[in-house]
Amino acid sequence: MSDNRMISDENQSAYREGEPNSEPSVRIVPLTFCFVLAAAALVGLGAAVYLGVRGLWLSVYLVLLGAALAAFFAKMLWNSAFFFVRMYRNAQHDRQAQPHLDFVLHEELLNRWSVDDRISEALVSLDGWTTSNPQTPGFSYWLGANLVLRRLDEHGRLLYIRTFPFRREEDAALLSEVLLRLQSSGAAVYRTDLNLNELNVRDLAEAYESLPKSAYDFQQPFEIGKQVREPQFSYPYRTPEMLARKQNQRRRNDTRFFRPVYIVGLVVNLLLALIWIPFWIPQNQGKGFVWETDWHSGALALQLLNITVFIVAGRYWRDTSKRAWRPLRDAACVLAIHMAGLMLAGSYQAGTWGKMKPLAILDLLLAVCLIIAYAFIRTITRKQRLHATSASVDANGQKAKAPQPRKYSSDRVLRPLFVAVLAANFLMAWLLMPNWRYDADAGGYEPLGMYMLATAALLTIAGAYWRKETKGLTPFYAAASVFIVQFIGAMLGLPQEVVWGQARDSLFMNLLSLLIVLYVIFAVLKGIGFLVRKSKADGRD
């Protein structure tokens, strides 16, 4: 949400400081904290160097993370300090090119614009916002109103005037009074059920004619300051021009920040594989780089650093469907970089080949962590990606009926098949695993691989991986479900010391293998389906 859209009723007093034609002053308090946080970030960098010399790598990661957060909040406070200054200057600049007015105060609206006989139309739209619940998880949803005026000035130019939103219950009387005055002055009053709080006055000028609207009914006004449930909440409307500008802004951000961070992350991993990882000593009988007894190990710090860097550089929160593949791609890039670095390091350091398997296990763990982080971030940011477009509303601005997902008759068989696969894995871990021999050299139970392949084949069928509608996270959810039921079964059938030792490691490695197999099958079937659909489309043409 841009700076202009963050202003609410409580900001009117701050924006009113000084006359409308005078430039607001810089906000001192945010600017002071900005310098404090910037200094803290610099101190953190120095502390990270000192801790690195002492080999306290987990502390190095935590300090660097704190320094990065301090720098981020310092930048936010800098923007906050100059918020009203920038808003005033932008308004002056825009006014030179276009005479539109944005964020007109309620007092000015009532005393000046509500009695202006040059106002030809008034459009009342919804205004929606959310607040976090301090005592319970989730959000509260609120509805208010926005007002846009259309005026023909002395030079025959159309002027659009956008007011501060009406969000308090006492604002209902003010809005009603303004609309009655406008109607008595000859202005046509319309309403739309769209939430226009993300449209600035330039966006409104571009899209006003295409907005769905109907005559305003004074007997059924908007309920201002009303709390509603999510299904009744109106998500922000975005015009095609807004979406195009947002996409261009994303490309600029990618070029200036996200892609350089991604490249730096890969380069750092390559350098570490060349000059540092060859000197690591594998633990757990040479099977991996673990940190169970050393929380300051380089392996843990590197994993946490990679998770942080690739979550940020991967932009896991964005509303693009192709991002479902991003965690796997990121982990695959890190694995390839590490293997290349170790092969190059083999030219000057003996024994690097023996570190490839432990490092590969470490990178497989990274893939699992990134997939979990991706699913979590997508879940908690879902509401931020929701918005309305011209294709999702009807002629009155109300939500159009969403297309129902296609139903298949085979679902009656596939869903019970998935439940049966989970039940079979639970019974296998509960009743069969206690009778299996644990292979210490292989690090697992011998028959488990056969059951994993059978499970992968059945999950492919149960998940309908060949369908176009099947989501990219379906294999992950399936593998995670299998792991959970297997672990529960192992807890019931095996002694606790075996569960938290051999069984845990064996089932976790089985999870990683199952994920790889499922995603390979998923990719192949999706590719075949794409080619089939394309050939059919070409045939019709």
Side-chain angles (χ1 to χ4, degrees):
M1 189 175 292
S2 65
D3 291 341
N4 285 352
R5 301 169 194 147
M6 294 172 61
I7 299 183
S8 60
D9 294 315
E10 292 76 9
N11 297 119
Q12 292 193 57
S13 59
Y15 186 59
R16 193 182 285 113
E17 292 179 1
E19 296 298 323
N21 294 325
S22 63
E23 182 169 314
S25 59
V26 177
R27 303 170 71 187
I28 301 300
V29 174
L31 189 63
T32 302
F33 281 103
C34 169
F35 287 117
V36 172
L37 288 177
L42 293 176
V43 172
L45 292 177
V49 173
Y50 170 75
L51 293 170
V53 172
R54 298 191 59 185
L56 304 175
W57 298 112
L58 179 59
S59 298
V60 170
Y61 164 78
L62 294 175
V63 170
L64 286 177
L65 180 63
L69 291 175
F72 173 75
F73 286 114
K75 180 65 168 61
M76 291 185 62
L77 287 170
W78 177 271
N79 293 338
S80 176
F82 290 90
F83 176 78
F84 291 111
V85 175
R86 185 169 60 254
M87 177 181 170
Y88 173 84
R89 292 176 180 175
N90 290 342
Q92 294 298 317
H93 178 270
D94 292 341
R95 200 168 296 175
Q96 293 175 2
Q98 297 176 333
H100 310 304
L101 300 177
D102 210 354
F103 287 109
V104 170
L105 302 177
H106 291 168
E107 181 179 353
E108 181 183 357
L109 170 67
L110 183 64
N111 297 332
R112 178 183 177 185
W113 298 112
S114 65
V115 294
D116 189 336
D117 57 4
R118 289 186 176 272
I119 302 293
S120 60
E121 291 183 16
L123 176 64
V124 186
S125 69
L126 280 177
D127 174 65
W129 71 100
T130 61
T131 57
S132 58
N133 297 325
Q135 298 179 348
T136 58
F139 296 88
S140 296
Y141 300 88
W142 304 85
L143 293 179
N146 282 307
L147 180 61
V148 180
L149 306 179
R150 196 183 195 195
R151 182 179 186 268
L152 192 67
D153 68 6
E154 296 80 1
H155 305 287
R157 298 178 301 178
L158 280 177
L159 168 69
Y160 290 92
I161 303 170
R162 181 171 182 259
T163 69
F164 268 88
F166 299 83
R167 292 186 170 180
R168 300 170 300 182
E169 292 184 4
E170 54 266 31
D171 289 339
L174 172 64
L175 178 60
S176 179
E177 174 67 20
V178 169
L179 295 179
L180 288 173
R181 290 188 183 186
L182 289 169
Q183 188 182 51
S184 63
S185 300
V189 182
Y190 298 100
R191 65 170 285 163
T192 178
D193 289 319
L194 296 178
N195 178 0
L196 302 181
N197 71 336
E198 287 197 5
L199 274 68
N200 58 32
V201 71
R202 184 182 66 174
D203 299 323
L204 288 166
E206 293 176 348
Y208 186 86
E209 294 292 347
S210 63
L211 293 176
K213 43 187 174 287
S214 58
Y216 187 81
D217 186 356
F218 284 87
Q219 302 301 320
Q220 294 181 340
F222 286 145
E223 297 183 82
I224 297 176
K226 178 183 179 182
Q227 184 176 359
V228 297
R229 296 181 179 274
E230 183 182 4
Q232 288 78 44
F233 183 71
S234 179
Y235 283 97
Y237 177 78
R238 295 173 187 171
T239 66
E241 294 79 11
M242 288 176 63
L243 295 175
R245 283 195 294 270
K246 182 178 181 180
Q247 186 62 30
N248 292 332
Q249 180 63 39
R250 282 180 170 179
R251 293 193 183 100
R252 288 192 293 270
N253 292 338
D254 291 345
T255 303
R256 291 181 295 185
F257 179 75
F258 291 112
R259 287 175 185 165
V261 169
Y262 190 84
I263 294 173
V264 169
L266 293 179
V267 171
V268 168
N269 276 277
L270 177 62
L271 294 176
L272 293 179
L274 274 170
I275 62 178
W276 190 31
I277 295 178
F279 299 97
W280 287 4
I281 300 176
Q283 302 176 28
N284 193 21
Q285 299 178 351
K287 297 172 185 173
F289 298 114
V290 298
W291 48 84
E292 293 179 352
T293 58
D294 182 11
W295 289 97
H296 285 288
S297 69
L300 174 60
L302 179 60
Q303 286 289 68
L304 293 175
L305 179 64
N306 281 331
I307 291 171
T308 305
V309 167
F310 291 109
I311 285 176
V312 174
R315 291 90 76 192
Y316 288 0
W317 56 87
R318 284 192 178 173
D319 50 353
T320 46
S321 58
K322 64 181 181 180
R323 299 293 172 189
W325 298 98
R326 192 60 188 258
L328 292 174
R329 195 191 81 174
D330 294 339
C333 289
V334 173
L335 176 61
I337 287 290
H338 282 168
M339 295 300 105
L342 283 183
M343 285 189 288
L344 292 174
S347 61
Y348 71 88
Q349 175 68 26
T352 56
W353 295 99
K355 295 182 173 61
M356 285 191 173
K357 180 181 178 181
L359 190 56
I361 295 175
L362 193 70
D363 291 337
L364 287 175
L365 293 174
L366 173 65
V368 174
C369 292
L370 288 178
I371 292 173
I372 294 174
Y374 177 85
F376 176 73
I377 292 172
R378 300 291 291 183
T379 301
I380 64 175
T381 60
R382 182 184 68 87
K383 293 181 177 61
Q384 299 177 15
R385 298 190 302 273
L386 296 177
H387 61 271
T389 63
S390 56
S392 63
V393 295
D394 58 17
N396 296 320
Q398 297 180 347
K399 295 179 182 178
K401 186 177 180 180
Q404 297 296 319
R406 181 179 176 183
K407 294 183 178 180
Y408 297 87
S409 58
S410 58
D411 289 341
R412 299 177 182 178
V413 178
L414 298 183
R415 290 172 182 170
L417 176 61
F418 179 71
V419 175
V421 170
L422 295 183
N425 277 272
F426 170 75
L427 294 174
M428 177 270 296
W430 180 23
L431 302 176
L432 299 182
M433 275 186 66
N435 301 317
W436 290 348
R437 186 178 66 87
Y438 181 78
D439 188 347
D441 295 331
Y445 294 93
E446 293 179 353
L448 197 56
M450 178 185 64
Y451 279 90
M452 184 272 293
L453 293 176
T455 298
L458 293 174
L459 288 177
T460 301
I461 299 173
Y465 290 2
W466 58 88
R467 291 180 183 170
K468 182 180 179 181
E469 300 86 356
T470 304
K471 304 298 183 182
L473 284 174
T474 301
F476 169 75
Y477 292 139
S481 301
V482 169
F483 173 77
I484 291 172
V485 297
Q486 285 179 347
F487 196 82
I488 295 174
M491 291 180 66
L492 294 176
L494 292 170
Q496 290 300 308
E497 62 273 9
V498 177
V499 170
W500 296 105
Q502 299 172 355
R504 178 197 60 183
D505 297 340
S506 182
L507 292 178
F508 189 72
M509 292 306 300
N510 181 69
L511 168 65
L512 296 179
S513 303
L514 182 60
L515 274 174
I516 294 173
V517 173
L518 287 179
Y519 270 106
V520 169
I521 297 174
F522 184 81
V524 171
L525 292 178
K526 281 288 188 179
I528 294 174
F530 172 76
L531 294 176
V532 170
R533 289 190 297 271
K534 184 178 179 182
S535 63
K536 289 182 179 179
D538 294 340
R540 287 194 296 268
D541 295 338

